[in-house]
Amino acid sequence: MKANSSQAILKLLLNMGAGFDIVSGGELYRSLAAGADPSKIVFSGVGKTHAEIAMALEAKILMFNVESEAELERIAEVSTWLGCQAPISIRVNPDIDPRTHPYIATGLSESKFGIDIQTARKLFSRAQSMPSLDVIGVDCHIGSQITELQPFLDAFERVRELVLELKSEGLPIRYLDLGGGLGIPYNGETPPNPREYTQALSERAADLNCTLIFEPGRVLVGNAGVLLSKVEYLKQTGNKLFVIADTGMHHLIRPALYSAWQGIQPVTPREGQPVTVDLVGPICESGDFLAKDRLLEPVEAGDLLAVMSAGAYGFSMASNYNSYPRPAEVLVKGNQFSVIRQRETYEDLTRHELTPDWL
Ligand SMILES: *Cc1c(COP(=O)(O)O)cnc(C)c1O
């Protein structure tokens, strides 16, 4: 869900039979508001609060993907309070290098995510002995924007061994959650296609007798979205030409956060030679850029630009920094289109703020 959690997008995916991988009470709220079936919701994330755990138990989600021993104890405690059993899986860290950006690699031993397989073994038997827990799955997610099949297969082999071992010890493992992370082409990458990826994994899992769960985010929505922007100014300084747009890191933080590359295309091409530019936004941060040293088709102030591949981790990571209202979202299908999120107003910016009467 964190790639794009707009209600209309969730509804579209629901209509196609999707469940949801949530990481917060807010995402649980959003998924239920969109009409999700709780029995197709899994709850990941390292920081689940008491309130979030209680909310998910009350909603009767499919399972919690547990990320630490302390969390396991907390889930057991909350389910005891509520007089129910919590369905859980443990997120194991297979210690595989997904060869992606370090900020989006999650399956290495130095990551804050998951539990190394050795420790997980002990935790599984501990969980099995706790009456308020129902151990039903094994979970693993090694990172994001992974463009090769091999890291997925390597991780799978380690998880597969663990599942066989747990089953031989009598644990009723019924779900194997293989996470997300399948990459997309931003700039000519050639990631495995989803069919190739799911076939490779489901073939290898055939004898495990587990329901496989996949948590694709980016690959579903990334290349379905563009961020439309208007060029405000051209600014030449020293030997650099800046194209200053009316959008930036506040609406699409990926370039600033992980030096991500996003395609940029003028909506209406002009005649002339491409020039090397930095495409930047209006935010008062040097890190506020959408493209650096990029060969761009010629543009002038007033032109519209499409920032490509903005459907994943775009709006869902947008903020109001520098007090810019967040943009409208529009869903397009063939020649149909609908506004699915209204453009924020200035009133929205201060809506939840209070001024103490002693000021
Ligand atoms: C972010 C995340 C995903 C989705 O990752 P994508 O790269 O967008 O497919 C899936 N599972 C977990 C646990 C995540 O944190």
Side-chain angles (χ1 to χ4, degrees), residues 264-277:
I264 314 287
Q265 284 180 27
V267 171
T268 311
R270 291 179 174 277
E271 296 286 312
Q273 289 303 311
V275 274
T276 301
V277 305

Side-chain angles (χ1 to χ4, degrees), residues 133-291:
L133 298 181
D134 185 16
V135 186
I136 60 170
V138 174
D139 169 48
C140 145
H141 169 77
I142 58 171
S144 197
Q145 185 52 18
I146 299 168
T147 53
E148 303 162 69
L149 200 51
Q150 201 56 48
F152 290 115
L153 299 182
D154 294 347
F156 178 80
E157 280 315 313
R158 298 203 178 159
V159 172
R160 176 191 159 76
E161 272 171 44
L162 178 66
V163 171
L164 289 172
E165 205 180 298
L166 295 172
K167 278 180 168 256
S168 74
E169 287 160 14
L171 269 82
I173 303 297
R174 285 181 279 133
Y175 294 96
L176 178 50
D177 184 337
L178 293 170
L182 191 57
I184 60 170
Y186 283 97
N187 187 18
E189 299 91 334
T190 52
N193 75 32
R195 191 178 303 277
E196 189 189 339
Y197 159 82
T198 48
Q199 256 172 18
L201 290 168
S202 42
E203 273 166 20
R204 286 166 172 80
D207 60 338
L208 292 179
N209 270 321
C210 284
T211 301
L212 292 186
I213 299 176
F214 293 98
E215 301 172 347
R218 189 188 311 271
V219 72
L220 296 180
V221 288
N223 275 327
V226 300
L227 171 61
L228 274 187
S229 167
K230 191 164 84 182
V231 175
E232 293 291 339
Y233 298 101
L234 301 187
K235 177 175 176 176
Q236 180 84 49
T237 65
N239 56 2
K240 254 197 191 300
L241 178 61
F242 289 99
V243 175
I244 302 173
D246 66 352
T247 188
M249 66 181 289
H250 49 322
H251 299 150
L252 182 63
I253 202 174
R254 297 187 63 259
L257 188 60
Y258 344 95
S259 309
W261 194 101
Q262 309 265 164
I264 314 287
Q265 284 180 27
V267 171
T268 311
R270 291 179 174 277
E271 296 286 312
Q273 289 303 311
V275 274
T276 301
V277 305
D278 277 12
L279 175 64
V280 302
I283 300 297
C284 301
E285 296 284 344
S286 297
D288 177 28
F289 62 90
L290 291 171

